[in-house]
Amino acid sequence: MTTRVVVVGGGFAGVACANRLAGEPLVRTTLLDRNGYHQFQPLLYQVATAELAAEDVKFDLAKMFHRHDSVRTRTADVVSVDPEAPSVTLADGTTVDGDVLVLAGGAQPNFFHTSGAARYALPLYSVDDAERVRARVLELLRAAAAKPELAEDGALTFVVVGAGPTGVETAGALAELVRDVMEHVRAKVMLVDLGHIVLPAFSEKAHEYAVTQLKRRGVELRLGTAVSEVAADHIALADGTTIRTHLVVWGGGEMAAPLAARSGLPQGAGGRIDVRPDLTVTGHPAVYAVGDVANIPYGDEPALPQLGSVAAQAGDWAARNIIADLEGDGRESFHYRDKGIMAMIGRKAAVAEVGEHRHEMRGRFAFAAWLGVHASLLANAGAEMKAFTTWAEEFYLRPHHRSAELLDPTNDQVPPVGLATTRDG
Ligand SMILES: Cc1cc2nc3c(=O)[nH]c(=O)nc-3n(C[C@H](O)[C@H](O)[C@H](O)COP(=O)(O)OP(=O)(O)OC[C@H]3O[C@@H](n4cnc5c(N)ncnc54)[C@H](O)[C@@H]3O)c2cc1C
């Protein structure tokens, strides 16, 4: 008898789960994703700053699994989850039944009820988000290049909220972009955070390194200040400052995707679904939640962080436990192989703390660690490794690389570098 597994979400977690199940003769997997493609979030800021094309970070799920008859992919939005059945209902009203559900719907931005933020700030969680940021950046740069006085109105003031990896990487890349293409016009990139520390999850030395590297790129830091309002043409800070700007990028926090609330399952910190060490939900042995949508307890930690390697490993582990059930073996508690944490502050400036002992690295060695971890995540999506490493090395090592041609309004597309083999089937 075959077991039907329904996986919701084609991110790191869902893809890793479906990949592992693909080799099982007695499992039929349905992988549902509202976009029909896997998006590689770690490189979204490169799309937002016109370094990569959207196609470079999008991987078609049907092509990814076309060699596996046992995995069926479907582009569909899941609007409700019935953990008892178990089944999911799609936006077109149809129901997909399974014997096992794997919820892997990822995260969404958390604006923490900041006035105007949901409407005017641009988050960076999807390829669509990244394309919106890029379009706005290029529009503003082009307008100010044609009419420099627009800078007085904030056209060249870019504000990034959140001094975690997403905000730091985005601020660093934006500063490099404006430095490359706007040599004679003053542009300002500001990084705002309620906390006082840049890259708080990292060591003290890394905080200092990140601050130095950002300042070297001209990024202005506004730390220890909450954002009180975001509007179409300004941002207001709790210290009473108002900054004229037409671009606010939100890297200020995340919470579980709406899928978590739609499941009716117990939600903990960040609205994420609380799971047991074997990744199932208490009282629902046939329902797993993995990746950013879940709080995965680990040792003394209440939950593992929202990272690509956690998601990919948890998705794979859920599949192993599904297989263990079929084979009559016991399920096992999730064991995470900690790859560490890393961030790319800009060209020739990376920081990494590798492995569970957090071996600290900066500069070229940190970049090598970043390359290794991201190459392994990309490999799961079927990306062309040589294209990726060539692009990444060039990106990291070239001192100055984009030209003022980007300011030409007819030059809308960044040429794809071809990271995705799946693009051509
Ligand atoms: C800008 C950014 C940079 C990052 N950089 C790094 C990094 O450098 N290294 C690192 O390790 N981690 C990084 N992360 C974190 C990492 O990307 C996430 O932890 C990881 O993507 C989580 O994987 P996931 O499979 O849980 O969710 P996701 O990758 O978010 O995938 C969820 C999928 O579910 C689909 N979905 C959601 N709801 C529904 C629904 N109702 N119906 C159908 N489909 C649905 C979505 O379309 C999406 O494809 C970054 C995150 C961001 C946002």
Side-chain angles (χ1 to χ4, degrees):
M1 211 176 81
T2 56
T3 294
R4 298 161 304 160
V5 180
V6 179
V7 181
V8 185
F12 288 120
V15 163
C17 182
N19 261 332
R20 169 72 58 183
L21 294 174
E24 285 305 305
L26 292 179
V27 176
R28 293 280 168 272
T29 305
T30 304
L31 175 58
L32 303 166
D33 192 284
R34 65 155 68 93
N35 297 312
Y37 54 78
H38 169 81
Q39 35 200 351
F40 194 78
Q41 289 180 343
L43 293 177
L44 288 179
Y45 78 98
Q46 301 277 9
V47 175
T49 52
E51 177 67 42
L52 283 175
E55 276 60 38
D56 289 323
V57 298
K58 262 163 116 163
F59 299 86
D60 187 282
L61 291 167
K63 286 180 182 164
M64 215 184 272
F65 289 98
H66 77 282
R67 286 201 187 85
H68 298 286
D69 293 340
S70 67
V71 180
R72 183 175 172 226
T73 58
R74 240 176 117 174
T75 303
D77 200 356
V78 172
V79 292
S80 69
V81 177
D82 180 349
E84 305 296 335
S87 67
V88 298
T89 302
L90 311 180
D92 66 5
T94 54
T95 297
V96 181
D97 296 307
D99 300 304
V100 181
L101 281 188
V102 180
L103 304 177
Q108 61 176 325
N110 188 347
F111 296 108
F112 298 104
H113 308 290
T114 308
S115 170
R119 176 147 187 219
Y120 295 110
L122 299 182
L124 203 45
Y125 284 90
S126 66
V127 176
D128 289 348
D129 290 342
E131 287 197 286
R132 266 192 288 275
V133 173
R134 186 180 71 195
R136 179 78 63 85
V137 169
L138 293 182
E139 181 192 332
L140 291 166
L141 290 179
R142 286 165 183 170
K147 228 173 157 193
E149 61 272 25
L150 288 178
E152 304 299 318
D153 184 42
L156 288 179
T157 302
F158 301 150
V159 181
V160 180
V161 180
T166 299
V168 166
E169 290 183 332
T170 307
L174 272 175
E176 290 185 344
L177 171 67
V178 293
R179 187 184 65 189
D180 283 359
V181 302
M182 301 290 282
E183 277 172 56
H184 305 296
V185 185
R186 271 175 61 101
K188 205 187 262 180
V189 177
M190 299 174 87
L191 182 63
V192 181
D193 199 294
L194 172 63
H196 292 269
I197 295 171
V198 174
L199 294 180
F202 290 66
S203 72
E204 208 166 300
K205 274 192 193 145
H207 304 157
E208 288 162 19
Y209 177 77
V211 168
T212 307
Q213 293 297 334
L214 288 169
K215 285 189 174 164
R216 193 171 285 171
R217 285 162 180 75
V219 176
E220 197 178 311
L221 300 173
R222 291 290 180 96
L223 302 175
T225 320
V227 174
S228 50
E229 186 203 3
V230 184
D233 59 358
H234 70 268
I235 182 167
L237 306 183
D239 64 5
T241 329
T242 297
I243 302 154
R244 290 200 70 76
T245 176
H246 300 267
L247 174 70
V248 176
V249 180
W250 192 268
E254 64 168 48
M255 57 200 270
L259 184 72
R262 289 174 193 168
S263 71
L265 293 166
Q267 291 173 267
R272 290 179 284 268
I273 300 168
D274 286 331
V275 295
R276 294 154 42 86
D278 69 1
L279 305 174
T280 61
V281 182
T282 302
H284 298 279
V287 181
Y288 290 80
V290 281
D292 280 6
V293 82
N295 283 321
I296 303 174
Y298 202 71
D300 296 335
E301 301 293 324
L304 285 166
Q306 281 66 58
L307 285 176
S309 40
V310 172
Q313 290 180 40
D316 181 70
W317 201 275
R320 287 168 187 253
N321 275 345
I322 292 168
I323 296 164
D325 266 353
L326 292 179
E327 293 177 347
D329 298 335
R331 291 178 189 177
E332 288 192 29
S333 297
F334 177 47
H335 177 72
Y336 174 54
R337 288 184 314 282
D338 192 347
K339 302 264 177 80
I341 47 176
M342 42 208 74
M344 191 97 95
I345 303 156
R347 294 197 288 278
K348 297 194 176 164
V351 62
E353 291 174 14
V354 179
E356 61 187 302
H357 299 298
R358 295 285 186 263
H359 179 61
E360 291 178 34
M361 295 173 176
R362 283 176 286 284
R364 192 180 284 249
F365 292 111
F367 168 67
W370 179 94
L371 194 58
V373 168
H374 288 76
S376 92
L377 287 171
L378 267 168
N380 290 335
E384 169 57 61
M385 274 315 102
K386 195 159 182 318
F388 170 63
T389 46
T390 306
W391 166 80
E393 278 165 10
E394 263 204 29
F395 166 77
Y396 190 75
L397 296 172
R398 264 181 309 167
H400 178 97
H401 64 133
R402 269 135 338 152
S403 70
E405 272 171 34
L406 262 181
L407 300 180
D408 173 358
T410 59
N411 182 17
D412 239 8
Q413 285 305 314
V414 184
V417 296
L419 302 184
T421 47
T422 45
R423 185 182 302 116
D424 304 319

